[in-house]
């Protein structure tokens, strides 16, 4: 990529060769993936890194920042007062910011290789991304003087750190993601069998154009016309996702995320399935600490939640009923000023939630609530 330094150019070439099945000096790991090692240095990316199937990117010690070409864009502030936006300084109703120049694909620091016609989980999988620090705003703001533009990260585009679509068998481990503007640390879009493990997800720049529930550090998305990064808009959801033993909270310069995990794109009859959120430490999120929507076969257990605006909130989406929700063994202590729930299970009209288990959660503050057509496996926890 023009303008990049030699270590980054070498990394691109190594990833491209691995996608073609060429084994480099790193050999293969125990699952047959070709190991590509990034130099333990600063990499200034001028475009997305693309990782192919059967590839293990070992980025231990590497530091990645984005410097993609950008153009200005005009945005409108979210007018809904219930979303509790609180950026300082506040945004006007219409404002100018910055976006990446060449379409949605260039708004992610790393993305998997996806053919234009890929459907379901067809894109090459068996991928590991291990280690590295990924900061999509740092480089854009390096010379910014203190003031509103620095606070809002005006000069940086909205961007994901890591994006995967239409693929399967993905592991993201020991990764540090810092100071994402508006979007997500990890996006799984039409992905099956994926794990985010032992990652540090620090700092988020609040998106004033949508509700705070939209600020997912780990997002589960559906392949629609509005959300495809590559491949077909075939409404493929996510399945068999594990988010385990991660730390989510503020960075040294930015507040925490909106939520550790959630979803915000749905279609009739489509739901995410078999998602486990276990053993995570969540601090000071601006909305609910854990907020999966439209997800069944869901397990939320042994998470440590402190200082967040809300706790655990599970919701259905009309007209998609859910089956199988377990919330057990979590520790919840909320922001003392909040009016959100410690635990909530909410079934919307024509979308009941069956086989719900809520028990043995340690609640230091906040109520527990069940709304709508919710049926339980046993009497649920009430306090």
């Amino acid at each position: 990529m023009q303008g990049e330094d030699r270590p980054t150019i070498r990394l691109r070439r190594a990833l491209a060769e691995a996608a073609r099945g060429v084994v480099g000096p790193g050999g293969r790991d125990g699952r047959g993936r070709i190991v590509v090692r990034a130099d333990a240095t600063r990499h200034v990316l001028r475009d997305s890194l693309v990782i192919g199937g059967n590839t293990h990117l070992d980025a231990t010690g590497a530091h990645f920042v984005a410097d993609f070409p950008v153009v200005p864009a005009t945005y409108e502030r979210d007018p809904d007062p219930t979303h509790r936006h609180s950026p300082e300084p506040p945004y006007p109703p219409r404002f100018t910011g910055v976006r990446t120049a060449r379409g949605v694909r260039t708004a992610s620091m790393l993305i998997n290789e996806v053919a234009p016609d890929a459907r379901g989980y067809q894109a090459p999988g068996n991928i590991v991304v291990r280690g590295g620090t990924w900061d999509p705003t740092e480089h854009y703001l390096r010379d910014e003087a203190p003031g509103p533009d620095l606070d809002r990260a005006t000069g940086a585009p909205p961007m994901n750190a890591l994006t995967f679509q239409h693929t399967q068998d993905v592991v993201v481990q020991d990764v540090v993601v810092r100071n994402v503007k508006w979007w997500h640390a990890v996006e799984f879009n039409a992905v099956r069998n994926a794990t985010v493990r032992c990652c540090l997800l620090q700092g988020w720049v609040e998106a004033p154009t949508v509700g705070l529930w939209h600020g997912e550090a780990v997002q589960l998305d559906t392949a629609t016309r509005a959300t495809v990064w590559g491949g077909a808009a075939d409404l493929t959801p996510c399945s068999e996702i594990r988010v385990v033993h991660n730390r989510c909270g503020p960075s040294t310069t930015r507040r925490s995320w909106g939520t550790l995990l959630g979803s915000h794109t749905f279609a009739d009859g489509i739901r995410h399935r078999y998602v486990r959120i276990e053993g995570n430490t969540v601090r000071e999120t601006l909305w609910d600490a854990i907020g999966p929507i439209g997800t069944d076969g869901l397990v939320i257990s042994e998470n440590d939640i402190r200082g967040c605006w809300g706790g655990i909130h599970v919701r259905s989406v009309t007209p998609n009923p859910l089956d199988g929700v377990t919330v057990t063994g979590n520790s919840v202590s909320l922001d003392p000023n909040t009016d959100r729930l410690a635990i909530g299970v909410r079934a919307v009209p024509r979308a009941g939630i069956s086989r719900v288990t809520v028990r043995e959660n340690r609640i230091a503050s906040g109520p527990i609530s069940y709304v709508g057509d919710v049926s339980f496996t046993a009497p649920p926890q009430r306090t």
Side-chain angles (χ1 to χ4, degrees), residues 86-114:
S86 57
E88 293 293 342
Y91 289 81
R94 290 175 63 85
F95 60 96
T96 299
V98 173
R99 66 175 175 87
T100 49
R102 295 190 302 278
V104 70
R105 184 184 175 94
T106 60
S108 185
M109 298 181 77
L110 178 141
I111 190 167
N112 66 303
E113 183 179 41
V114 185

Side-chain angles (χ1 to χ4, degrees), residues 45 48-49 68 107-111 133-136 159-164 175-178 180-181 183-187 201 217 229 257:
L45 305 177
S48 305
L49 291 174
F68 299 0
S108 185
M109 298 181 77
L110 178 141
I111 190 167
T133 298
W134 304 75
D135 190 324
M159 189 180 297
N160 286 349
L162 310 175
T163 303
F164 302 91
V175 162
V176 178
V177 179
R178 290 186 178 141
V180 169
K181 178 178 178 178
W183 292 3
H184 316 291
V186 180
E187 174 169 331
L201 312 174
W229 296 76
W257 290 84

Side-chain angles (χ1 to χ4, degrees), residues 75-234:
Y75 300 94
E76 294 189 1
R77 187 182 67 196
D78 175 19
D80 189 341
T82 66
H83 291 167
R84 194 185 160 267
H85 285 295
S86 57
E88 293 293 342
Y91 289 81
R94 290 175 63 85
F95 60 96
T96 299
V98 173
R99 66 175 175 87
T100 49
R102 295 190 302 278
V104 70
R105 184 184 175 94
T106 60
S108 185
M109 298 181 77
L110 178 141
I111 190 167
N112 66 303
E113 183 179 41
V114 185
D117 59 349
R119 304 182 67 84
Y121 309 111
Q122 290 179 338
N126 196 26
I127 295 168
V128 170
V129 178
R130 182 188 299 270
T133 298
W134 304 75
D135 190 324
T137 60
E138 175 188 311
H139 193 76
Y140 293 100
L141 306 177
R142 64 195 183 281
D143 298 323
E144 190 70 67
D149 284 335
L150 180 61
D151 295 339
R152 297 169 176 160
T154 299
M159 189 180 297
N160 286 349
L162 310 175
T163 303
F164 302 91
Q165 178 156 27
H166 280 308
T167 191
Q168 59 187 326
D169 303 329
V170 176
V171 176
V172 176
Q173 182 166 335
D174 302 325
V175 162
V176 178
V177 179
R178 290 186 178 141
N179 301 337
V180 169
K181 178 178 178 178
W182 295 13
W183 292 3
H184 316 291
V186 180
E187 174 169 331
F188 292 133
N189 190 323
V191 173
R192 179 172 64 196
N193 189 27
T195 300
V196 180
R197 180 190 299 124
C198 299
C199 294
L200 186 59
L201 312 174
Q202 291 185 317
W204 181 62
V205 181
E206 180 176 333
T209 60
V210 288
L212 290 173
W213 54 270
H214 195 282
E216 305 103 333
V218 179
Q219 190 217 359
L220 309 184
D221 214 340
T222 304
T224 72
R225 290 184 179 181
T227 66
V228 289
W229 296 76
D234 63 351

